[in-house]
Amino acid sequence: KETFEGHQVLRIVAKDETQLSLIKNLEDMVEFELDFWRGVTDVSTPVDVRVPFHSLQSVKIHLESRDIEYSIMIEDLQVMLDEEQQEMESAAR
Amino acid sequence: TAEPRNTDSFDFSRYHTISEIYSFQDMLVAENPNLVSKIVIGQSYEGRPLNVLKFSTGGTNRPAIWIDTGIHSREWVTQASGTWFAKKIVTDYGRDPAITAILNKMDIFLEMVTNPDGYYYTHNSNRMWRKTRKPNSGSSCVGVDPNRNWDAGFGAPGASDNPCSETYRGPSVHSESEVKSIVDFVKSHSNFKAFVSIHSYSQMLMYPYGYTKTPCKDQTELHNLAKKAITDLASLYGTSYTYGSIINTIYQASGNTIDWTYDQGIKYSYTFELRDTGRYGFILPADQIIPNAKETWLALMAIMDHTSKNIY
């Protein structure tokens, strides 16, 4: 079973079109193994991206060095998934 | 797990496995033989039946409305909402004048788990799976994005030709049986007037096109109806939606479902992105399933009501 320990989902907010296109470029950085939950649309809509643990630091440095603001939407995805699974099982019981 | 014996004891406020949803479908049909029937329109790549519930009060090949949920498997609130819609229809028929009027004139077809292999996989192997599960020859990456595989702008920007991408369009149009089955069914039925394909979680209601900026010919009517639908939706819990054509509202998306259905002449073709109003994304807490479904139903009713009063 695929697990996601330490994976975080970042919510990235572009200040302007320039930053938006920088965020768009992230889609092509396959080395980060990013999973876009909510893709780039427009400046007013945040971008949500799941970042594997091993590329978290690089991605955050990449964003911070370009002064792109982000917040941590999900601190640890696996913790949430475990809670979801437990809720399903207890509800079923 | 304790299997519910009837759909009244089915717990709509939690996420269910595919076998629980398929059992629910069979129970609903058994409980409502004069209103609901089940049609298997094909098989998924791994051989699961593609079940469509038909809600009909009679007639032959009446004008029809299609609703599908779960085409992207990880968007769990959509399959859960589809299950709730099915119960809502049988509960309200004969009681709510609006849905009764619609069903006295039109049939409703509802495919709750449009990507069953992917849905099974999200429960058993990878909760984050989105695509189908068919292997891609020449690649170690599996699956096609079933919302990029349709014959509408296929190959244009707005989809990927990389099998490892989440938006991989597939080797050719309608190459996925989950897509081809709907294509064949819609073509053979030939009397669909509305088609609604449901995703999550960007809170949007969109109409064609996704692959081109060229406006669709019914743009004004579809835009106005979308506005009414999302206004009705917001009236319940204040959930705010944006609306417009796919390419202007979310991004360019070629080979998507409702561009193809619109090009088949199905005017009222819409796609929803349901909520997250918080910061959960695809892991929406189960206690938000019913509020999500209830507000979405108001928008669906606006579209179905308009369709039934403007059959073309």
Side-chain angles (χ1 to χ4, degrees):
Chain A
K1 191 161 188 181
E2 184 110 12
T3 59
F4 302 90
E5 284 81 4
H7 289 220
Q8 292 189 336
V9 178
L10 304 183
R11 175 157 284 178
I12 307 171
V13 179
K15 290 191 186 70
D16 51 36
E17 291 295 336
T18 306
Q19 285 203 342
L20 203 63
S21 68
L22 288 173
I23 298 167
K24 183 83 178 158
N25 293 345
L26 275 177
E27 288 178 4
D28 299 324
M29 296 179 182
V30 290
E31 68 276 20
F32 288 152
E33 293 181 25
L34 300 178
D35 171 18
F36 280 84
W37 281 21
R38 191 156 62 177
V40 169
T41 52
D42 54 41
V43 170
S44 63
T45 309
V47 174
D48 297 340
V49 59
R50 174 174 62 89
V51 182
F53 178 72
H54 65 75
S55 48
L56 259 180
Q57 193 173 23
S58 311
V59 168
K60 289 180 178 179
I61 290 170
H62 181 89
L63 293 170
E64 288 157 14
S65 62
R66 288 161 181 76
D67 197 28
I68 298 175
E69 280 185 27
Y70 67 88
S71 60
I72 299 173
M73 175 177 151
I74 295 177
E75 193 75 35
D76 187 313
L77 180 57
Q78 191 57 44
V79 168
M80 269 187 91
L81 293 179
D82 292 343
E83 286 168 4
E84 182 181 66
Q85 196 58 36
Q86 279 154 25
E87 189 188 344
M88 278 181 74
E89 286 162 7
S90 63
R93 271 194 302 278
Chain B
T1 59
E3 287 280 336
R5 289 278 161 266
N6 56 59
T7 59
D8 286 340
S9 56
F10 187 89
D11 185 351
F12 295 92
S13 66
R14 79 176 174 86
Y15 292 110
H16 289 271
T17 63
I18 188 166
S19 62
E20 289 170 344
I21 292 174
Y22 277 25
S23 301
F24 168 86
Q25 291 169 352
D26 291 337
M27 285 193 289
L28 197 74
V29 169
E31 292 164 5
N32 302 277
N34 298 322
L35 179 58
V36 193
S37 56
K38 181 176 82 173
I39 303 168
V40 180
I41 65 168
Q43 280 200 329
S44 68
Y45 170 75
E46 292 177 343
R48 291 181 175 85
L50 301 174
N51 293 342
V52 172
L53 292 190
K54 177 183 179 183
F55 300 82
S56 179
T57 57
T60 54
N61 205 37
R62 279 183 172 167
I65 296 165
W66 170 282
I67 303 169
D68 69 62
T69 48
I71 194 166
H72 285 152
S73 40
R74 64 185 177 185
E75 298 167 13
W76 277 15
V77 73
T78 69
Q79 299 95 336
S81 295
T83 311
W84 186 92
F85 296 154
K87 183 66 176 174
K88 178 69 174 174
I89 292 170
V90 301
T91 304
D92 279 9
Y93 176 68
R95 290 192 185 84
D96 171 66
I99 191 71
T100 304
I102 291 167
L103 281 167
N104 285 341
K105 209 172 174 187
M106 304 186 81
D107 294 340
I108 297 174
F109 292 82
L110 171 59
E111 183 172 12
M112 294 173 201
V113 188
T114 305
N115 177 7
D117 297 350
Y119 191 58
Y120 180 85
Y121 200 70
T122 59
H123 281 262
N124 294 279
S125 300
N126 181 345
R127 172 66 178 82
M128 290 293 101
W129 194 259
R130 160 187 167 100
K131 302 190 285 183
T132 61
R133 289 293 307 162
K134 182 154 80 48
N136 294 309
S137 63
S139 169
S140 62
C141 293
V142 169
V144 166
D145 182 343
N147 196 31
R148 299 292 186 281
N149 187 237
W150 300 71
D151 190 8
F154 184 86
S160 169
D161 60 356
N162 174 358
C164 298
S165 165
E166 292 289 2
T167 56
Y168 175 48
R169 64 178 186 250
S172 58
V173 295
H174 308 157
S175 60
E176 303 311 287
S177 63
E178 296 81 357
V179 171
K180 186 67 167 53
S181 299
I182 299 175
V183 166
D184 293 344
F185 184 74
V186 165
K187 282 186 175 177
S188 69
H189 183 283
S190 74
N191 202 16
F192 276 99
K193 300 302 176 188
F195 193 105
V196 179
S197 189
I198 297 182
H199 297 249
S200 76
Y201 61 87
S202 300
Q203 290 171 209
M204 299 173 174
L205 176 56
M206 297 171 280
Y207 52 80
Y209 283 107
Y211 75 88
T212 173
K213 278 221 175 267
T214 309
C216 66
K217 65 181 175 41
D218 301 292
Q219 200 269 338
T220 305
E221 182 184 2
L222 295 184
H223 194 79
N224 293 338
L225 178 52
K227 183 178 181 182
K228 186 210 190 290
I230 64 126
T231 305
D232 289 0
L233 184 149
S235 70
L236 193 56
Y237 300 116
T239 304
S240 63
Y241 267 53
T242 55
Y243 65 102
S245 70
I246 295 170
I247 199 166
N248 288 335
T249 307
I250 194 166
Y251 36 62
Q252 186 173 25
S254 61
N256 77 74
T257 309
I258 65 164
D259 280 6
W260 181 82
T261 58
Y262 184 79
D263 283 349
Q264 301 307 301
I266 304 173
K267 183 197 306 188
Y268 301 114
S269 287
Y270 284 100
T271 191
F272 277 84
E273 283 271 353
L274 305 189
R275 62 153 90 163
D276 178 18
T277 50
R279 298 171 68 89
Y280 299 101
F282 298 125
I283 322 300
L284 197 70
D287 59 12
Q288 290 197 39
I289 294 172
I290 293 177
N292 208 322
K294 282 184 176 177
E295 69 188 10
T296 308
W297 182 252
L298 296 179
L300 275 174
M301 278 299 292
I303 292 169
M304 295 195 290
D305 184 63
H306 182 88
T307 303
S308 77
K309 289 168 180 168
N310 295 273
I311 288 182
Y312 48 96

